[in-house]
Amino acid sequence: MVKLQGEGVSAGIAFGTIRFSRNSQPQAEKKILQNWQQEIDLYENARQKALAELLRLHAETTKKLGEENAQVFEIHRMMLEDPDFNDCILEKIEKEHFSAEYAVETAAEQFSLLFSSMEDEYMQGRAGDVRDISYRLLRILQGKDVIESMPAGNDGEKIILADDDFTPSETARLDTSHICALLTREGSRNSHTAIFARTMGIPAVIGLGEELDPLLEGKSCIVDGESGQVFMDPDSQTRSSLLSKQEKEKEQKQHLEAYRGRESITKDGRKIHICANIGGIRDLDLALENDAEGIGLFRSEFLYLERQAPPSEEEQFQVYRKAAEALKGKQVIIRTLDIGADKQAEYFHLPKEENPALGMRAIRLCFQRPDIFRTQLRALYRASAFGNIAIMFPMIISLEEVRQIRKITLDVQKELAAQNLPFRKETPLGIMIETPAAAIISDCLAEEVDFFSIGTNDLIQYTLAADRQNRTVSALCDPYHEAVMRLIRLTCQNAHRKGKWVGICGELASDTSLTAEFLAMGVDELSVSPAAVLSVRAAVCETGSL
Ligand code: PEP
Ligand code: MG
């Protein structure tokens, strides 16, 4: 048995088999073979298998995430049928006597170079697709499983997915029905890998370093997302002690069931709203299953990732409307696009920045791209006619920004009215308090908005000048630092003085050791990962006089 120690960032015990994602991307060896006819057969066989896989993935994804998200598999299928691409591979086998694997790899390199050098943005985006197709073919040629098609293991074992780290767009693509835990070499508590794992309620351990070796691929493993311990080839004693820990966790969860359907009211009668954070409509069910009293943060940027162009007004409208309708009158706070920093979409063509967290992100980018911003606002206002939507703006630092936002929202409203499109004029507008500047001038900001939601993930990094993505300074990201607490307290006081409500939607909201303190500061709403709703409600109900 081998034991690794990392940082547990999403609690729970998982039993499964380790699979590396990006690091296991197959590579072909340069091989020249005389028996080219056999290589042609191998290639054709692999191509047919890949086509069948893509058909199945397209159907499954359409069912789970809708046609828009499934389109990529259709594009890959069409590329695999493309005569130019196929002829190029076949020629390399027939004329240059390359092995099937090497022919696929070199042809794909050639095509992806060709695509990336094209003027047209859409065609440039195809370069990544060609690489994806080549990985699929190579995996099949090398007899390896493809992550998406991996079946659950024996006796219910599932996949423990490992990598250096996962980008937000990679997490958006993960097929969670097979994945029971995440492991990373890097990462930090507030990175999106950690947030994603907590949202999905799956255990995660980060910061395992080089010991998380690709040679561990395929090993049987147990992950303890609370202690940060990972056991490879666990012995029977470890297995049984973790099984009993898993049992205890189940009992605790069972105990929390008593809070399902209850109001979140402190012992002295104060009502608090416990809402859920989601990354897209695929998390809606999780929020509802966990009895959230609303959506306190819908991170809309996930709609913009993993694609070649921004989502249209109509596509966004359908998504926001679906969320509003699913919540049946409970509030859904949708945050406008927060892209930049760690969340990148190629079509924005953002230049590489020295300090991306301090650079062109979130509301700054929206002001720079009014076309994209207005499209999103139109979709949001149109959806407001179908439920209880509120709009929230990220990364605010000044009063001028809020005034500019108000001006744009009024313009959008006028436009919709002129087109006779229904919308709710009184849609509440709120801002994230996630910079020290916003917290310090929260008295002025409170006059201009309907509510605040404190984004502690960013507030901590900006207050303590410690990058939330950078593991080497993660010890400095002390969430209990007095400076952070004072800014939260100040924000609450200023909001209430102006009669506005204030919530916390950063990860700190689910830290139940702080619940009583937050309530004493006057926090009105806590928005947490769906899996944390009941435990936070329990903490609220157990809070005595404030
Ligand atoms: C935050 O900064 O606390 C927050 C909720 O936003 P995100 O984690 O998406 O930056
Ligand atoms: Mg933030």
Side-chain angles (χ1 to χ4, degrees):
M1 179 175 86
V2 178
K3 183 173 127 188
L4 310 183
Q5 179 70 56
E7 190 183 346
V9 291
S10 179
I13 309 282
F15 293 71
T17 305
I18 288 223
R19 299 283 177 195
F20 281 77
S21 54
R22 237 176 313 160
N23 297 315
S24 63
Q25 274 165 359
Q27 283 177 348
E29 248 180 80
K30 178 167 183 176
K31 271 196 207 147
I32 309 290
L33 302 167
Q34 290 316 311
N35 190 355
W36 56 266
Q37 189 53 54
Q38 185 182 323
E39 296 302 303
I40 294 224
D41 293 347
L42 283 173
Y43 170 65
E44 189 46 37
N45 198 4
R47 196 174 77 86
Q48 291 305 332
K49 277 194 180 159
L51 285 169
E53 259 179 28
L54 288 165
L55 254 186
R56 184 179 51 70
L57 282 168
H58 181 263
E60 279 175 13
T61 313
T62 306
K63 212 156 97 200
K64 269 199 299 193
L65 303 172
E67 173 59 30
E68 190 74 32
N69 285 298
Q71 241 176 31
V72 61
F73 300 115
E74 186 54 21
I75 293 173
H76 288 191
R77 224 174 53 77
M78 275 154 50
M79 282 180 159
L80 257 182
E81 302 269 32
D82 178 64
D84 288 341
F85 183 58
N86 276 302
D87 287 352
C88 179
I89 294 173
L90 293 174
E91 257 182 41
K92 283 177 190 295
I93 300 178
E94 269 182 46
K95 300 210 172 112
E96 298 179 59
H97 296 184
F98 284 2
S99 67
E101 286 177 33
Y102 192 52
V104 165
E105 190 181 76
T106 47
E109 262 168 30
Q110 204 172 308
F111 272 73
S112 75
L113 261 179
L114 183 79
F115 281 130
S116 44
S117 63
M118 287 181 179
E119 289 269 299
D120 184 308
E121 268 177 42
Y122 177 81
M123 295 312 280
Q124 284 174 5
R126 302 278 72 82
D129 291 315
V130 178
R131 279 194 297 274
D132 268 13
I133 294 169
S134 119
Y135 293 143
R136 188 175 299 283
L137 286 167
L138 288 179
R139 277 204 192 96
I140 296 171
L141 283 164
Q142 294 171 356
K144 290 182 191 158
D145 274 332
V146 180
I147 292 284
E148 306 102 310
S149 64
M150 240 174 239
N154 294 335
D155 57 46
E157 281 198 343
K158 287 190 163 187
I159 290 160
I160 292 172
L161 199 63
D163 206 331
D164 285 345
D165 201 356
F166 298 96
T167 64
S169 42
E170 282 164 340
T171 58
R173 232 184 329 151
L174 292 180
D175 178 354
T176 45
S177 59
H178 293 317
I179 296 165
C180 65
L182 295 178
L183 302 179
T184 65
R185 294 198 183 88
E186 295 152 20
S188 57
R189 175 156 283 276
N190 282 333
S191 65
H192 282 275
T193 304
I195 293 174
F196 171 80
R198 291 192 287 263
T199 301
M200 302 312 293
I202 58 176
V205 176
I206 60 163
L208 286 157
E210 289 310 308
E211 284 182 50
L212 186 62
D213 191 315
L215 290 176
L216 297 169
E217 169 86 17
K219 285 229 178 286
S220 155
C221 166
I222 310 180
V223 176
D224 182 343
E226 189 196 23
S227 68
Q229 290 172 324
V230 180
F231 303 89
M232 308 290 168
D233 288 335
D235 54 33
S236 56
Q237 207 185 339
T238 307
R239 195 170 269 277
S240 70
S241 100
L242 284 160
L243 262 175
S244 65
K245 187 167 177 185
Q246 194 180 39
E247 268 317 301
K248 277 204 194 100
E249 284 182 351
K250 272 191 200 148
E251 277 166 27
Q252 274 165 2
K253 264 201 183 147
Q254 202 51 44
H255 162 76
L256 289 176
E257 282 303 307
Y259 292 91
R260 184 178 295 282
R262 262 177 74 170
E263 277 203 292
S264 309
I265 299 188
T266 60
K267 284 191 174 144
D268 57 2
R270 206 173 128 216
K271 167 89 186 110
I272 307 297
H273 288 272
I274 315 278
C275 299
N277 295 346
I278 61 170
I281 44 175
R282 82 167 180 180
D283 303 336
L284 270 179
D285 287 346
L286 280 176
L288 294 170
E289 277 160 25
N290 284 284
D291 204 24
E293 293 160 46
I295 301 297
L297 169 63
F298 181 141
R299 288 181 164 97
S300 71
E301 54 274 10
F302 282 90
L303 266 172
Y304 292 70
L305 301 176
E306 282 297 297
R307 51 193 301 153
Q308 271 75 44
S312 66
E313 177 183 321
E314 191 56 30
E315 181 186 344
Q316 292 188 64
F317 164 63
Q318 295 297 350
V319 169
Y320 304 147
R321 173 181 173 168
K322 198 165 177 183
E325 287 177 342
L327 265 287
K328 298 196 173 85
K330 291 177 185 166
Q331 190 165 61
V332 182
I333 302 179
I334 303 179
R335 177 176 74 184
T336 57
L337 183 61
D338 183 3
I339 224 149
D342 59 325
K343 295 175 218 144
Q344 293 286 343
E346 275 176 30
Y347 55 84
F348 278 98
H349 299 297
L350 294 176
K352 205 168 160 16
E353 295 175 300
E354 286 295 322
N355 290 303
L358 302 180
M360 190 46 73
R361 59 170 287 202
I363 197 70
R364 301 167 181 190
L365 189 61
C366 288
F367 288 149
Q368 209 185 46
R369 293 295 306 267
D371 51 332
I372 291 179
F373 192 34
R374 291 175 87 99
T375 303
Q376 180 169 38
L377 288 171
R378 280 180 58 93
L380 285 165
Y381 272 110
R382 281 177 58 199
S384 71
F386 296 88
N388 187 358
I389 281 184
I391 308 176
M392 177 158 77
F393 301 90
M395 237 339 237
I396 298 297
I397 59 160
S398 72
L399 208 51
E400 290 68 36
E401 285 172 339
V402 176
R403 291 187 177 144
Q404 195 172 344
I405 288 169
R406 283 220 164 265
K407 195 165 161 293
I408 298 171
T409 54
L410 281 178
D411 274 1
V412 166
Q413 289 185 13
K414 269 191 212 145
E415 225 173 70
L416 293 174
Q419 292 172 286
N420 280 328
L421 288 166
F423 65 92
R424 190 157 69 101
K425 202 170 165 11
E426 313 69 39
T427 300
L429 299 181
I431 55 170
M432 303 258 323
I433 301 290
E434 51 185 349
T435 63
I440 291 165
I441 60 163
S442 51
D443 51 341
C444 310
L445 294 170
E447 290 186 359
E448 307 274 334
V449 298
D450 299 308
F451 66 92
F452 288 155
S453 187
I454 303 174
T456 50
N457 308 339
D458 277 319
L459 186 62
I460 292 168
Q461 80 161 340
Y462 294 130
T463 305
L464 305 178
D467 183 353
R468 70 193 257 197
Q469 295 292 116
N470 182 345
R471 236 197 113 55
T472 50
V473 293
S474 63
L476 297 176
C477 285
D478 171 13
Y480 309 113
H481 195 293
E482 183 54 22
V484 176
M485 291 301 140
R486 285 191 196 184
L487 289 176
I488 298 176
R489 193 172 297 118
L490 178 68
T491 304
C492 293
Q493 283 166 356
N494 284 332
H496 288 164
R497 272 190 200 128
K498 307 285 175 192
K500 306 294 161 70
W501 67 263
V502 57
I504 301 181
C505 64
E507 293 298 298
L508 214 51
S510 58
D511 183 336
T512 49
S513 72
L514 287 172
T515 307
E517 194 169 345
F518 287 152
L519 300 192
M521 288 179 190
V523 168
D524 303 290
E525 179 234 43
L526 291 162
S527 191
V528 299
S529 307
V533 167
L534 291 182
S535 63
V536 175
R537 180 173 298 148
V540 167
C541 295
E542 280 153 28
T543 301
S545 62
L546 301 171

